[in-house]
Structure formats: C-alpha cells, structure tokens
C-alpha cells in the first residue's frame, strides 16, 4: 500500500493526548479528521496490524476488544440507542487508506443504505 510512516503509530506513540477519546493497553479511540457523519470515531489497535489475513489468537482478542470498546464509546457519544455503524475496510479495493487495522464508528444521523458498491 504505502511506504510512509504510519500516522496511527505516530498518534499512538505521541504524548499529546488531546485527540484521544479513550486509551487503554490495547487500543485508542480518536475522532476522524474528515468525518462522514456527526459522530465519526476511529478505534485503532496500539499494535501495528496491517492485515486481517494474519491469523492469531492475539488478533482475535484485539478484534473482540475493538467491538466491545465500540459499544462503550457509542454509549458515551449518545448513539447507542439510536444506532451506529461499524466499518472495517481491508485492502485497497475496500477503500482502506491507512495500512493499520482500524474500525470506523459512525452515528448521530440516519445513515444511508450500504448497497453502493
């Protein structure tokens, strides 16, 4: 994909926590700089994982934690009852722009259908 330094790894290593909504030993949650909905968060593993193709117990645990965290931040952001969308893009054809596993949480408005392939 790209040979530039990973922007998410730089955010994770940064001491500036102003853009971080939640941080724990496995993930961080930040607001997307280019939101596609009133609520647009990124849930990012602290460990650089470039692909969902990597099969490991560690990846399974991180993915589970990402989904659990999504539910928690949806509650904090006030979209847990009205609804929200979780998206993981894998690879260029899916629109993945940063080669570091991450999940988008979108909400705060009625989202359109997902049939626009």
């Amino acid at each position: 994909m790209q040979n530039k330094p990973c922007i998410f790894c730089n955010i994770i290593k940064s001491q500036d926590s102003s853009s971080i909504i939640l941080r724990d030993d496995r993930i961080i949650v930040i607001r997307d700089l280019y939101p596609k909905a009133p609520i647009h968060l990124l849930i990012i593993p602290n460990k650089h994982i470039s692909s969902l193709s990597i099969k490991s117990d560690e990846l399974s645990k991180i993915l589970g934690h990402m989904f659990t965290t999504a539910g928690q931040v949806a509650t904090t952001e006030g979209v847990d009852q009205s609804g929200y969308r979780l998206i993981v893009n894998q690879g260029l054809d899916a629109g993945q722009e940063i080669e570091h596993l991450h999940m988008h949480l979108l909400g705060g408005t009625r989202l359109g259908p997902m049939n626009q392939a």
Side-chain angles (χ1 to χ4, degrees):
M1 285 180 118
Q2 57 189 346
N3 283 335
K4 297 184 281 187
C6 176
I7 189 168
F8 290 160
C9 288
N10 290 340
I11 292 169
I12 292 162
K13 292 175 190 170
S14 172
Q15 297 303 313
D16 177 17
S17 61
S18 62
S19 66
I20 298 174
I21 294 172
L22 184 145
R23 179 193 295 257
D24 67 22
D25 62 329
R26 292 179 275 181
I27 55 97
I28 63 167
V29 179
I30 61 173
R31 294 200 188 280
D32 195 295
L33 290 177
Y34 306 100
K36 306 292 188 237
I39 305 294
H40 188 165
L41 306 177
L42 301 175
I43 303 166
I44 309 163
N46 292 337
K47 180 178 181 177
H48 185 91
I49 299 170
S50 60
S51 173
L52 288 171
S53 300
I54 301 166
K55 306 291 187 252
S56 73
D57 289 339
E58 180 183 20
L59 178 59
S60 296
K61 290 176 184 175
I62 288 172
L63 287 169
H65 187 61
M66 290 170 70
F67 277 95
T68 300
T69 300
Q72 293 168 351
V73 294
T75 299
T76 302
E77 295 289 319
V79 295
D80 58 317
Q81 297 298 308
S82 60
Y84 56 95
R85 181 174 293 160
L86 298 175
I87 301 170
V88 176
N89 297 316
Q90 175 58 57
L92 289 174
D93 284 352
Q96 183 180 8
E97 295 177 14
I98 299 173
E99 193 176 344
H100 184 131
L101 173 65
H102 58 286
M103 176 185 291
H104 298 258
L105 184 151
L106 295 102
T109 190
R110 185 170 296 267
L111 301 169
M114 293 283 299
N115 60 354
Q116 302 161 354

